[in-house]
Each structure stands twice: as C-alpha cells, then as structure tokens.
Amino acid sequence: MSEGAHAVVVVLGDTGRSPRMQYHAISLAALPHINRVTLIGYPGEVCNELIVSNPAIHDIRLTTSSAWIDKLRPISLLHAAVKGVFLVLSLLFTLFRLPHIDMVVVQNPPAIPALLACLFMSYFNGMVVLLDWHNLGFSMYFDRYSSKHVLVRVSRILEGRLGVLSDRHICVSDSMGKWLHKRFNVSATTLYDKPPAKVFKRFSVPQSDADGVDLNLPQIDVKVRHELLLKLKLTDEELFPHSQSSSSSQITSSSERTIQTVRLSENGNDTVTMRDDRAVILVTATSWSPDEDFGLLMKALCNLDRSLVRRRSNGRSLTQSKVVMVITGKGPMRDAFMQAWKARQENPADRLVYVSIVSVWLEIADYPLMIACADLGICLHTSTSGLDLPMKVLDMFGCGVPVCAIHYPALPELLKNGENGIIYRQHNDLAAQLYRLFCEAPNEAGASEELCKMRKAAYRIGSWEDNW
C-alpha cells in the first residue's frame, strides 16, 4: 500500500465485543504508511480505550435491521435473505461515503453480506480484501438446524464461493487452515490470538525466581485487588450469607474485608493484606451463548462443594475456606442460570456451603484486573466447528492465569494439558481437578505445585503486538 493509506475493518457484530477486530484496527493504525483506519460494526459496547483515544481510528456503527425484518424470523430462509440484502445495502452506503479505501479486513462469521459488499466495492476501486476466519459461518446454525437444512447448505455454498474470491486469508488455528484448504480451496495463514501487552499485563509481578516469575502468581497490588473486590461486592456477607467465616470473630469496626483481603485501620494508618483464609477465585469470561455448557459448570461446582463438605466433616482442614466462581459478561442464558442458582441457595437442602457463584458485568478497565485476581480460569467454550480457539483463554494467559477448558479437537493448539492448563471432558472431571489443585498438597500460599508451574507457563504466552 502507498503512503497515507486507508484501511477498513468490518465486523457484522457489536464492535465493542469484537476484541480481535479491535486489535487489528490498533495494529493497522500503528503502521507508518497508514494514516486512517475505519472500524465498522454494530452499535453496543464502547471500544477499547486504545481505539477511543486514537485519532487515526474512526469508529462507525451500522444501522441494525428494522423491526419488520425481525418479524420474518419464523421463516428462517426468507428472514436470512431479507436481512442479508439489508446489510449489504447498508454497508455499501457506508463504504461509498468513506475516503478512498486501500484495504479491508472482514470478519467471518458472519461474513456473507459483508463480503458481498466489499467484493463489489473492490471491483470498482481495487482495494485488497482480507478475510479473517474466526470460525465457519454455516456451523453457527448447528444449534438450531441439522447439517442438511436448506439454510445451512446455502450458507455453506455461499461462504465457500465468496470466500475464495477474497485476496488474502488469515485464520485462528492450523486446524481451521487445513480444513479451509481441503474443503474451500482457500490458503489461509494462521494468526493465533494473543493477549495485547497494553491491556493484559503482569500486574506488580515479584521477581523472585530465576525466570523472573513468582510461582505463587497471579498477583496484582493488594490495594488494587481490595478496591476491585470491594467495588464488586465480593464479600462473605454478600456471597455466603448463610455461613459464618471461621475468622469472623476478628472483624472489628476498624476492619474492611473482602473474600481475599482485609484492610485494618490503626492509629490513622490503613494496612491492606491478604487474608490467611482467603477464598479461591475461579473466573470464566462468557457471552452466555448456547455453545457454553452452564449445566456442566453447575454440576461441577456442586460436586466440588460436596467434596469440601466431606473433607471438613472428616476433620480435615481446608487451606482456603471457600471457592467463588466469578462469571463475567452478559447474554441470553444469564438470567435463567442465575435464577436457578438463587433458587438452589434459598433451599437449605440444596444449598452449597463452601462454593458461591456471582455474575458481574465489568467496566473495560476492570476486566483485566478481575482476571488477574483469579487463581484459575474456567473455559466452557465448545466450538460449533471444532476448529476455532477460545479467545478468552488468551486473556487469562495474558494475566498469568492457567485455565481448565473443555475438550474439543483444535483446543490442544492453544492449551497444553498439564503445562498451561488442564483439559476436561465431563463435570466430574472438572470437579476432581479443582479439588486436586486447591485441596491436595497445597503449598503455604494455598496452591498446589502443579498450579504454580502452570501459572509460570501461562505467563510465557506471547503478545498480540509481537505475533501480528
């Protein structure tokens, strides 16, 4: 591309919830020969601060489909066709109003309407069209239709025929690259997702061993941790209202406690420290979509609680008194899951004693901090195609947090079982792994040696900037 080039990044989804496409925009804007980047997507969440504060990046939100189009949803094929035409025209109208475009990066899925518009535009102005394969678009219908449904078959044909017309291709895994080459005759370069260094960073990492990574990480400044947990109301009173902390007698009017920290005020001086009986924090970042098995998560946590109760009833102590499952994000399945959890906790016969669940929607700046506070990440992502990789796992690795993830074919490209995380298949597997990591042979910091080594490996993940 020539000096002063203009690059466009297109995603037919909420731009603020499309991190990979935001990272593309940030990286493109950093190139010396590009002086403008336009990011096009749907209205919704605010983009990363690195987007908002960059004068070279222009954030444009498309008009979503009209209410009358949504009324056609019961007639799936007609709805898809009408909505597709609407999106093509809307995107073309937006593209033709922009200054001369030299290249465009299009996310797939969904890509058919965007690809139609961009390929049509490239015929007139010669811009380069790069297709970024996050997944297979036709596979996204598998939760509603069989592989032989007409909508799935038409989507697959269009995806293959239009995809091959793009000038360049990148994809998120080697498995996907091989599939694309075999089935669509597309040659795609694998660009693995990586955590951006400026967003997911090592918070106040003590340099205590030969490799410069403390085995008892993750760790952020204890005062920052305390303020965040307090802000999110992650306290014993909120999460375990039916039980008393083993050290509740130590609570005084001059102390302020979260599930992991305590602030003591003496003689006008505030001191914040980690609690000796701090809770384990598990975290999962989710969009609450059908390809995430929340029933499995609930069963695993119930099994874990039964194991903790049994250990306590046998007279064996708990190194860490409680476990808190923090679920970030929002989506269609959230309310039903949290209502089921609330109903369980209101019933004394079903109530969990040592495990609690909380759902939070985090501000952009708080998300990496919450991840860094966690002892372990949980991934519930089950790929519709079996070829994509869960990007949220990279967020956790970027903060030095190892992950337990459910198995599917492409996952070992990212998560090395026993090295930077653990792969499980059933709810009882997950419960057993959690119990083993936090209750069997923990060190004085409350973590098993295996978990410490996995934290160290998670830190070794590269950055988006270097990989891009």
Side-chain angles (χ1 to χ4, degrees), residues 68-83 144-145 149-151:
W68 69 269
I69 296 179
D70 292 335
K71 291 180 180 179
L72 299 174
R73 192 174 295 275
I75 312 173
S76 57
L77 195 59
L78 179 61
H79 175 261
V82 174
K83 184 177 180 180
R144 286 173 284 171
Y145 310 112
H149 190 278
V150 63
L151 184 58

Short mmCIF file of all heavy atoms in Angstrom, two decimals, residues 68-83 144-145 149-151:
data_model
loop_
_atom_site.label_atom_id
_atom_site.label_comp_id
_atom_site.label_asym_id
_atom_site.label_seq_id
_atom_site.Cartn_x
_atom_site.Cartn_y
_atom_site.Cartn_z
N TRP A 68 -39.46 -4.70 11.23
CA TRP A 68 -40.28 -5.51 10.31
C TRP A 68 -39.49 -6.70 9.77
O TRP A 68 -40.08 -7.74 9.47
CB TRP A 68 -40.82 -4.65 9.17
CG TRP A 68 -39.80 -4.16 8.18
CD1 TRP A 68 -39.11 -3.00 8.24
CD2 TRP A 68 -39.36 -4.83 6.99
NE1 TRP A 68 -38.25 -2.89 7.17
CE2 TRP A 68 -38.40 -4.00 6.38
CE3 TRP A 68 -39.69 -6.05 6.38
CZ2 TRP A 68 -37.75 -4.35 5.20
CZ3 TRP A 68 -39.05 -6.40 5.20
CH2 TRP A 68 -38.10 -5.55 4.61
N ILE A 69 -38.17 -6.56 9.67
CA ILE A 69 -37.34 -7.68 9.22
C ILE A 69 -37.31 -8.76 10.31
O ILE A 69 -37.38 -9.96 10.01
CB ILE A 69 -35.92 -7.21 8.88
CG1 ILE A 69 -35.94 -6.25 7.69
CG2 ILE A 69 -35.02 -8.40 8.58
CD1 ILE A 69 -34.59 -5.73 7.29
N ASP A 70 -37.22 -8.33 11.56
CA ASP A 70 -37.18 -9.30 12.66
C ASP A 70 -38.48 -10.11 12.75
O ASP A 70 -38.48 -11.25 13.24
CB ASP A 70 -36.93 -8.58 13.98
CG ASP A 70 -35.53 -7.98 14.05
OD1 ASP A 70 -34.64 -8.51 13.36
OD2 ASP A 70 -35.34 -6.99 14.79
N LYS A 71 -39.58 -9.55 12.26
CA LYS A 71 -40.86 -10.27 12.27
C LYS A 71 -40.85 -11.47 11.33
O LYS A 71 -41.68 -12.36 11.43
CB LYS A 71 -41.99 -9.33 11.91
CG LYS A 71 -42.28 -8.26 12.96
CD LYS A 71 -43.42 -7.34 12.54
CE LYS A 71 -43.68 -6.28 13.61
NZ LYS A 71 -44.77 -5.35 13.20
N LEU A 72 -39.90 -11.48 10.39
CA LEU A 72 -39.79 -12.58 9.45
C LEU A 72 -38.99 -13.76 10.01
O LEU A 72 -38.82 -14.78 9.34
CB LEU A 72 -39.11 -12.10 8.16
CG LEU A 72 -39.82 -10.99 7.37
CD1 LEU A 72 -38.94 -10.54 6.21
CD2 LEU A 72 -41.17 -11.47 6.87
N ARG A 73 -38.48 -13.64 11.24
CA ARG A 73 -37.60 -14.66 11.82
C ARG A 73 -38.18 -16.08 11.80
O ARG A 73 -37.44 -17.04 11.58
CB ARG A 73 -37.23 -14.26 13.26
CG ARG A 73 -36.10 -15.08 13.86
CD ARG A 73 -35.70 -14.54 15.22
NE ARG A 73 -35.13 -13.20 15.12
CZ ARG A 73 -33.86 -12.94 14.84
NH1 ARG A 73 -33.03 -13.96 14.63
NH2 ARG A 73 -33.42 -11.71 14.78
N PRO A 74 -39.50 -16.25 12.03
CA PRO A 74 -40.05 -17.63 11.97
C PRO A 74 -39.85 -18.30 10.61
O PRO A 74 -39.80 -19.53 10.53
CB PRO A 74 -41.54 -17.43 12.27
CG PRO A 74 -41.58 -16.17 13.09
CD PRO A 74 -40.52 -15.29 12.50
N ILE A 75 -39.74 -17.49 9.54
CA ILE A 75 -39.48 -18.06 8.21
C ILE A 75 -37.99 -17.90 7.97
O ILE A 75 -37.53 -16.90 7.39
CB ILE A 75 -40.31 -17.34 7.12
CG1 ILE A 75 -41.77 -17.22 7.54
CG2 ILE A 75 -40.20 -18.07 5.78
CD1 ILE A 75 -42.62 -16.38 6.60
N SER A 76 -37.19 -18.86 8.41
CA SER A 76 -35.74 -18.70 8.54
C SER A 76 -35.05 -18.29 7.24
O SER A 76 -34.22 -17.37 7.23
CB SER A 76 -35.11 -19.99 9.08
OG SER A 76 -35.42 -21.09 8.24
N LEU A 77 -35.37 -18.96 6.13
CA LEU A 77 -34.69 -18.67 4.87
C LEU A 77 -35.03 -17.28 4.36
O LEU A 77 -34.15 -16.54 3.90
CB LEU A 77 -35.05 -19.73 3.83
CG LEU A 77 -34.16 -19.78 2.58
CD1 LEU A 77 -32.71 -20.04 2.98
CD2 LEU A 77 -34.65 -20.86 1.62
N LEU A 78 -36.30 -16.91 4.44
CA LEU A 78 -36.73 -15.58 4.00
C LEU A 78 -36.10 -14.50 4.87
O LEU A 78 -35.63 -13.47 4.38
CB LEU A 78 -38.26 -15.48 4.03
CG LEU A 78 -38.85 -14.12 3.60
CD1 LEU A 78 -38.47 -13.80 2.17
CD2 LEU A 78 -40.36 -14.13 3.79
N HIS A 79 -36.10 -14.74 6.18
CA HIS A 79 -35.51 -13.77 7.11
C HIS A 79 -34.03 -13.56 6.81
O HIS A 79 -33.54 -12.44 6.77
CB HIS A 79 -35.69 -14.26 8.54
CG HIS A 79 -35.02 -13.40 9.57
ND1 HIS A 79 -33.79 -13.71 10.12
CD2 HIS A 79 -35.38 -12.20 10.12
CE1 HIS A 79 -33.44 -12.78 10.97
NE2 HIS A 79 -34.38 -11.85 11.00
N ALA A 80 -33.30 -14.67 6.59
CA ALA A 80 -31.86 -14.57 6.30
C ALA A 80 -31.62 -13.80 5.00
O ALA A 80 -30.70 -12.97 4.92
CB ALA A 80 -31.25 -15.96 6.21
N ALA A 81 -32.45 -14.05 3.98
CA ALA A 81 -32.27 -13.39 2.68
C ALA A 81 -32.56 -11.89 2.78
O ALA A 81 -31.77 -11.06 2.30
CB ALA A 81 -33.17 -14.04 1.64
N VAL A 82 -33.66 -11.54 3.41
CA VAL A 82 -34.04 -10.12 3.51
C VAL A 82 -33.05 -9.36 4.39
O VAL A 82 -32.62 -8.26 4.04
CB VAL A 82 -35.48 -9.99 4.08
CG1 VAL A 82 -35.82 -8.52 4.34
CG2 VAL A 82 -36.48 -10.60 3.11
N LYS A 83 -32.67 -9.96 5.51
CA LYS A 83 -31.70 -9.31 6.38
C LYS A 83 -30.36 -9.16 5.68
O LYS A 83 -29.68 -8.13 5.81
CB LYS A 83 -31.53 -10.12 7.67
CG LYS A 83 -30.61 -9.45 8.68
CD LYS A 83 -30.52 -10.26 9.97
CE LYS A 83 -29.59 -9.58 10.97
NZ LYS A 83 -29.48 -10.35 12.22
N ARG A 144 -29.45 -24.90 15.93
CA ARG A 144 -30.88 -24.80 15.59
C ARG A 144 -31.32 -25.75 14.48
O ARG A 144 -32.46 -26.18 14.44
CB ARG A 144 -31.21 -23.36 15.15
CG ARG A 144 -31.24 -22.36 16.28
CD ARG A 144 -31.41 -20.95 15.74
NE ARG A 144 -30.16 -20.43 15.17
CZ ARG A 144 -30.06 -19.31 14.48
NH1 ARG A 144 -31.15 -18.59 14.23
NH2 ARG A 144 -28.90 -18.91 14.01
N TYR A 145 -30.40 -26.06 13.57
CA TYR A 145 -30.77 -26.86 12.40
C TYR A 145 -29.76 -27.99 12.19
O TYR A 145 -28.62 -27.91 12.64
CB TYR A 145 -30.81 -25.99 11.13
CG TYR A 145 -31.63 -24.74 11.27
CD1 TYR A 145 -31.00 -23.48 11.25
CD2 TYR A 145 -33.01 -24.78 11.41
CE1 TYR A 145 -31.73 -22.32 11.36
CE2 TYR A 145 -33.75 -23.62 11.53
CZ TYR A 145 -33.11 -22.39 11.50
OH TYR A 145 -33.83 -21.24 11.63
N HIS A 149 -30.15 -29.02 6.63
CA HIS A 149 -31.17 -27.97 6.48
C HIS A 149 -30.77 -27.04 5.34
O HIS A 149 -29.58 -26.75 5.12
CB HIS A 149 -31.29 -27.18 7.79
CG HIS A 149 -32.46 -26.25 7.82
ND1 HIS A 149 -32.43 -24.99 7.24
CD2 HIS A 149 -33.70 -26.39 8.35
CE1 HIS A 149 -33.60 -24.40 7.43
NE2 HIS A 149 -34.38 -25.23 8.10
N VAL A 150 -31.76 -26.56 4.58
CA VAL A 150 -31.50 -25.74 3.41
C VAL A 150 -30.71 -24.49 3.75
O VAL A 150 -29.83 -24.05 2.98
CB VAL A 150 -32.83 -25.39 2.68
CG1 VAL A 150 -33.73 -24.56 3.58
CG2 VAL A 150 -32.55 -24.67 1.36
N LEU A 151 -30.98 -23.88 4.91
CA LEU A 151 -30.26 -22.66 5.30
C LEU A 151 -28.78 -22.96 5.53
O LEU A 151 -27.91 -22.17 5.13
CB LEU A 151 -30.89 -22.05 6.55
CG LEU A 151 -30.30 -20.72 7.03
CD1 LEU A 151 -30.41 -19.66 5.94
CD2 LEU A 151 -31.00 -20.23 8.30
#
